[in-house]
Amino acid sequence: MVEIVYNKEEQTEDNAFSGIRLPKNIRQIGIPGGNRRIYIEDYVMTYLKQLANPNSTFARGAILVGECVKAGQDEAVFVSGALAAQNLELDLQEDSFCGETWSYIYQEVKNYFPDLEVVGWFLSRMGFSTEVNDMIVKLHMDNFSGPDKVLFIMDELEGEEAFYMTEGDGLRRQSGYFIYYARNEAMQSFMIATKQESEEEKSPVEQKDEAVLKNYRKIMEERARNARIERMNKRLSGACSVLTIAVLALGIAVFSNYQMLGKLQHRLEVYGVFAMDSEQDEAENKADERNAEGHIQKQSAGKSISEIAVSANIPKYYTVQNGDTLSSISFKMYNSVGYVAELMEANELGEADDIREGDRIIIPTVQ
């Protein structure tokens, strides 16, 4: 939208409005055309923007006061005051300007703006743009009749604003308007008074707005918390999946290594690199026996069996079998159980020591 700021030092003169005294310091919004002009004071615009704050979830309305100046065919409407109309916290589905409402409005105008008159109304509807519908047109025609009455619509959410004036049987959007800057003590006093009242006690509309806004924030916080939990669950799920895969991979590797070790042991046994313990013990026993027999044969000529056994003094070994005890081994080796003490002494065994299957013990030579 076109915006033009005029020099403060220059007197705003226009041939089309030569008979109307216009403000010196103005800002042009859009391109005003025709013989009708709208001027709204800066304090009034500030106050209306506060009403149209995006935190307001309901429609907001205000009564516009000022004066209408005509010069021949030319007309200028000056909006220099505004009062919030609490009855416009509405969805525009019902008549909001009854006799009681107008009584209240005129009383407020008399209190704060005694030298001004009602020149129109203001409506803020978030997210509904600045277009008018049949209900808005009907409200305007029923309550603000006359060609010099204006309707100012603002949608702060979309950043749009527009002025309308009566033309024929409907409302026509104006192509532009002016914001002017002037000393406006009446509007300043009204804004200060309403601010003090709002600090002491909030209006029902603001209470509703706060409740709705609080509930909305609570919902958004809950959604944000749920989103965080969902993201955390996804991360944990991913971590568990990775850990499960790692454990499976480790198990497969261990099992595979175990199989490889088994195969390696089997091959070593096949190629004779080493034998099982029992086979090795048996082979060693047989070798010891053969050596002992050979040694005895060399020295046994003309000697008795006992003499041979004593003279040989060659240690003999025995591999403990399943179920063996020192008594049974003594009987096997000496045909008597009376040599347990000799077995214990030769193998340095105590009474608390046990022998186990596979142990290789010394069989001492006895008289």
Side-chain angles (χ1 to χ4, degrees):
M1 179 174 285
V2 176
E3 180 175 325
I4 302 173
V5 178
Y6 290 90
N7 193 314
K8 295 181 180 181
E9 302 301 325
E10 296 180 356
Q11 175 68 36
T12 305
E13 295 289 347
D14 194 307
N15 292 332
F17 289 85
S18 58
I20 302 175
R21 183 178 179 83
L22 301 177
K24 294 181 181 181
N25 189 14
I26 62 174
R27 180 158 57 105
Q28 177 181 323
I29 307 298
I31 306 176
N35 59 349
R36 306 167 87 182
R37 288 190 177 183
I38 301 172
Y39 293 83
I40 181 169
E41 201 272 324
D42 181 60
Y43 272 104
V44 179
M45 181 64 76
T46 300
Y47 176 69
L48 296 179
K49 284 184 175 293
Q50 291 176 358
L51 286 182
N53 189 289
N55 288 334
S56 302
T57 56
F58 293 89
R60 285 296 178 83
I63 303 301
L64 305 179
V65 296
E67 60 180 331
C68 180
V69 181
K70 296 182 181 181
Q73 297 296 321
D74 300 328
E75 179 182 12
V77 178
F78 296 90
V79 181
S80 52
L83 305 96
Q86 299 297 344
N87 57 301
L88 285 178
E89 48 174 287
L90 48 91
D91 57 2
L92 299 179
Q93 297 300 315
E94 60 182 27
D95 187 355
S96 301
F97 296 96
C98 60
E100 183 179 351
T101 300
W102 276 115
S103 297
Y104 171 79
I105 291 173
Y106 284 123
Q107 185 61 43
E108 290 289 285
V109 172
K110 183 179 178 180
N111 291 337
Y112 293 102
F113 307 100
D115 299 329
L116 303 178
E117 61 179 351
V118 175
V119 295
W121 62 306
F122 164 79
L123 181 63
S124 167
R125 302 179 72 201
M126 285 199 309
F128 287 89
S129 77
T130 55
E131 299 298 323
V132 297
N133 55 30
D134 294 339
M135 181 61 70
I136 295 175
V137 173
K138 184 177 184 303
L139 282 173
H140 184 86
M141 293 301 184
D142 291 345
N143 299 278
F144 302 92
S145 59
D148 56 347
K149 297 296 189 291
V150 299
L151 166 60
F152 185 27
I153 297 183
M154 186 180 293
D155 184 350
E156 192 69 9
L157 190 63
E158 299 294 336
E160 297 181 3
E161 51 193 42
F163 270 98
Y164 289 85
M165 295 189 74
T166 304
E167 185 170 305
D169 296 332
L171 292 174
R172 180 179 179 179
R173 182 168 182 165
Q174 303 301 295
S175 57
Y177 59 93
F178 299 92
I179 298 176
Y180 72 94
Y181 303 82
R183 187 179 182 87
N184 194 345
E185 295 180 356
M187 191 64 204
Q188 292 180 45
S189 299
F190 171 75
M191 292 175 67
I192 293 173
T194 53
K195 182 179 180 180
Q196 292 175 348
E197 290 176 359
S198 63
E199 291 177 352
E200 294 174 358
E201 182 178 1
K202 294 181 179 179
S203 68
V205 178
E206 291 172 324
Q207 292 176 2
K208 289 181 181 179
D209 285 346
E210 285 192 358
V212 172
L213 186 60
K214 183 178 180 180
N215 187 50
Y216 175 76
R217 288 174 178 169
K218 183 179 179 181
I219 292 173
M220 296 306 294
E221 290 174 358
E222 185 70 22
R223 289 181 180 177
R225 182 165 59 254
N226 291 339
R228 288 196 299 270
I229 293 174
E230 185 176 354
R231 288 196 298 270
M232 187 179 296
N233 289 339
K234 288 182 179 179
R235 291 174 183 172
L236 290 175
S237 178
C240 290
S241 300
V242 172
L243 183 60
T244 302
I245 293 172
V247 172
L248 289 175
L250 181 61
I252 293 172
V254 171
F255 181 73
S256 193
N257 290 337
Y258 179 78
Q259 287 183 322
M260 291 176 64
L261 289 174
K263 291 179 180 179
L264 179 61
Q265 180 180 351
H266 177 71
R267 289 186 179 183
L268 291 174
E269 291 176 357
V270 169
Y271 289 106
V273 177
F274 70 88
M276 298 299 292
D277 290 343
S278 60
E279 295 176 355
Q280 184 177 0
D281 290 343
E282 185 177 354
E284 290 177 355
N285 285 338
K286 289 182 179 180
D288 290 340
E289 289 176 359
R290 287 195 297 270
N291 292 334
E293 289 176 357
H295 185 76
I296 291 172
Q297 287 176 356
K298 290 180 181 180
Q299 300 182 7
S300 62
K303 296 182 180 180
S304 66
I305 295 176
S306 59
E307 290 175 341
I308 292 173
V310 172
S311 62
N313 198 25
I314 298 174
K316 185 176 181 180
Y317 295 92
Y318 174 79
T319 300
V320 178
Q321 305 297 320
N322 185 25
D324 279 348
T325 63
L326 290 177
S327 298
S328 64
I329 294 173
S330 175
F331 187 80
K332 285 182 181 179
M333 305 307 296
Y334 304 110
N335 293 323
S336 171
V337 296
Y339 296 96
V340 173
E342 286 77 355
L343 290 173
M344 294 177 63
E345 181 180 358
N347 292 280
E348 299 180 352
L349 297 175
E351 294 182 358
D353 295 331
D354 295 329
I355 58 174
R356 297 180 179 83
E357 180 181 3
D359 288 347
R360 195 160 176 262
I361 65 174
I362 298 174
I363 304 299
T365 302
V366 297
Q367 293 297 330

